[in-house]
Amino acid sequence: ERTRIATDLMSSQAQIPTAAHADSRRFAVALAAFYASLFGLVGTHLPFFPVWLKAVGIDAAWIGVITALPAISRFTALPFVTSLAERRQAVRQAIVITAFATAIGLVAIGTQHDAPVLFAIYAWTCCLWTPMTPLTDAYALRGVRRYGLNYGPLRLWGSAAFVAGTLACGLMIEVMDARHLIWVIGAVAAIGALVSLNLKPIDAPKPAVAEARGDIRLLRDAGFLAIIATSALVQGSHAAYYTFASIAWQQAGYGGLTIAGLWVLGVVAEIVLFAYSPRFRMPFALLVVIAALSAALRWLITAQSPPIAILAVVQLGHGLSFGLTQVATMGLIAQRVPGHVMARGQGYLVACAGIVTSAASIASGAIYSQFGERVYYLMAAMALAAALIMWLSRHSLASNPGGQVSGG
């Protein structure tokens, strides 16, 4: 059963599935459109929100603290919001509410240029924004099971929209003052809120009875702890990149379109890896080691402030440092975690990643303000630590594989 679910979740065909039933088509189109709006917002926000913060006079230390808020909310507010929505059997309603709240919050942020006030408004916004992705995934999985669809072809529209959003914002920064970027981000969020209204209601599943102590045993499983620690360290090693890459590239003299192109190269590499991952035959643990070592090499090169030609090649490493880590981690989770505690296993994974990423973001702000791109040496050390943890844990993970799972 776990193998079947994992295979469905990681299907990589990049087209909206055609279903005989009209309701199935409407569900698929509406969900694909919302995924596009959701990750289109990420594509405009992630590369250019730090640029806007700098443009309105926020210093590097405050930028590091403010941009750590999404990660912090993932292990504080996110579990509460998603749990509340599930208990109330109101996942779709929660998606709509969080979408509109996010749009309102981002617009409100645009009216403020004082760091403490921005921090407060952005903290409130993140508490409602970050749960939107797991809520949408939960809604999607219900529809996938009900209508017999595949998750992958729906979710890939999000990655495509990320690319489009990044390129569009990069073009706009060429013709507008960076102080106005927040209105572009807010407009994309508003579009997403309107698109959320088209999501089709789905009957809530019957509640399942889970073992009361299943999550306790999960947290006592050394293999599971190695998985979430390794994933958190590798994904957290991207903190300096997410926060300061655009700023550093702008200071190096690159224009908005060039910056957008560099971000897009990374996401395109990620999409290509997702598409070819079903062909991977190595154990997932070794794939994680490869991903972690690739991340370390990527950050060591980035720390040297390489010329644009080398930087473009290094950006393609995002397919390994992020994409391969994601694919292999999901494979290990599907193998290791029993079905009745799968949701809690994913929750622990997200919470651990949030803790590490938020700490890394705050540290990056302090280090970048003093040492610039040498902050990437810290990121490389995190990735190397992850590779070591997974290498030492590979035999214990292989001893309880739980079945072969498709990597894509």
Side-chain angles (χ1 to χ4, degrees):
E1 176 67 15
R2 279 178 280 167
T3 300
R4 182 188 63 79
I5 293 174
T7 302
D8 288 343
L9 293 185
M10 295 186 284
S11 172
S12 58
Q13 299 174 3
Q15 58 183 353
I16 296 178
T18 302
H21 200 282
D23 283 348
S24 177
R25 282 188 60 83
R26 283 195 293 268
F27 169 84
V29 171
L31 179 60
F34 185 69
Y35 266 132
S37 68
L38 179 62
F39 288 96
L41 173 58
V42 177
T44 58
H45 174 274
L46 187 60
F48 295 107
F49 183 64
V51 173
W52 175 78
L53 288 172
K54 182 175 182 295
V56 298
I58 309 301
D59 64 40
W62 264 111
I63 290 174
V65 172
I66 291 171
T67 55
L69 288 171
I72 293 172
S73 69
R74 290 188 183 102
F75 65 87
T76 53
L78 185 152
F80 172 77
V81 174
T82 54
S83 177
L84 178 63
E86 196 161 52
R87 287 200 309 269
R88 297 292 181 90
Q89 297 186 351
V91 170
R92 175 186 171 274
Q93 294 91 324
I95 293 172
V96 175
I97 292 170
T98 54
F100 274 90
T102 298
I104 293 170
L106 289 172
V107 171
I109 286 170
T111 66
Q112 303 296 324
H113 295 165
D114 183 65
V117 177
L118 280 171
F119 176 88
I121 299 175
Y122 192 56
W124 176 84
T125 303
C126 289
C127 287
L128 293 171
W129 182 10
T130 55
M132 214 188 317
T133 297
L135 285 170
T136 305
D137 285 338
Y139 169 85
L141 293 183
R142 291 180 181 179
V144 162
R145 294 190 177 102
R146 175 170 178 175
Y147 297 115
L149 304 174
N150 287 318
Y151 176 85
L154 300 168
R155 172 58 180 82
L156 267 181
W157 290 99
S159 297
F162 180 97
V163 172
T166 302
L167 284 175
C169 216
L171 287 169
M172 289 180 184
I173 201 174
E174 296 284 353
V175 298
M176 69 164 55
D177 192 304
R179 290 176 297 176
H180 301 312
L181 283 174
I182 192 64
W183 305 121
V184 178
I185 297 170
V188 176
I191 292 172
L194 295 175
V195 172
S196 73
L197 296 173
N198 290 325
L199 294 174
K200 178 181 172 59
I202 299 176
D203 294 336
K206 295 180 181 180
V209 179
E211 290 184 22
R213 300 180 61 191
D215 52 344
I216 297 176
R217 281 197 289 269
L218 194 60
L219 291 174
R220 291 175 178 173
D221 180 0
F224 174 73
L225 295 178
I227 293 168
I228 63 174
T230 300
S231 176
L233 284 168
V234 180
Q235 302 295 20
S237 77
H238 291 70
Y241 166 66
Y242 291 149
T243 305
F244 293 108
S246 294
I247 293 174
W249 296 338
Q250 191 179 51
Q251 290 175 338
Y254 302 138
L257 188 57
T258 300
I259 293 172
L262 288 169
W263 280 89
V264 166
L265 279 175
V267 180
V268 169
E270 170 192 328
I271 294 172
V272 171
L273 184 132
F274 287 155
Y276 281 92
S277 57
R279 303 183 183 184
F280 298 162
R281 293 293 177 264
M282 294 179 65
F284 289 122
L286 290 182
L287 290 177
V288 171
V289 172
I290 292 171
L293 292 175
S294 300
L297 178 61
R298 180 187 181 189
W299 305 138
L300 287 173
I301 297 174
T302 305
Q304 312 308 314
S305 302
I308 187 67
I310 296 176
L311 187 58
V313 175
V314 171
Q315 280 299 97
L316 294 175
H318 191 73
L320 296 175
S321 68
F322 176 84
L324 186 58
T325 302
Q326 181 74 7
V327 166
T329 300
M330 290 301 103
L332 286 171
I333 290 288
Q335 288 181 343
R336 192 80 182 182
V337 180
H340 65 276
V341 290
M342 184 66 74
R344 277 170 283 186
Q346 292 283 355
Y348 294 137
L349 178 69
V350 173
C352 186
I355 292 170
V356 173
T357 302
S358 59
S361 295
I362 294 171
S364 294
I367 297 172
Y368 184 84
S369 64
Q370 297 293 321
F371 302 103
E373 289 190 278
R374 282 181 284 180
V375 68
Y376 286 108
Y377 289 127
L378 173 62
M379 304 297 107
M382 292 171 62
L384 286 172
L388 179 61
I389 293 172
M390 184 53 65
W391 178 258
L392 295 176
S393 304
R394 70 192 188 282
H395 295 305
S396 64
L397 291 171
S399 66
N400 184 23
Q404 182 66 29
V405 183
S406 171

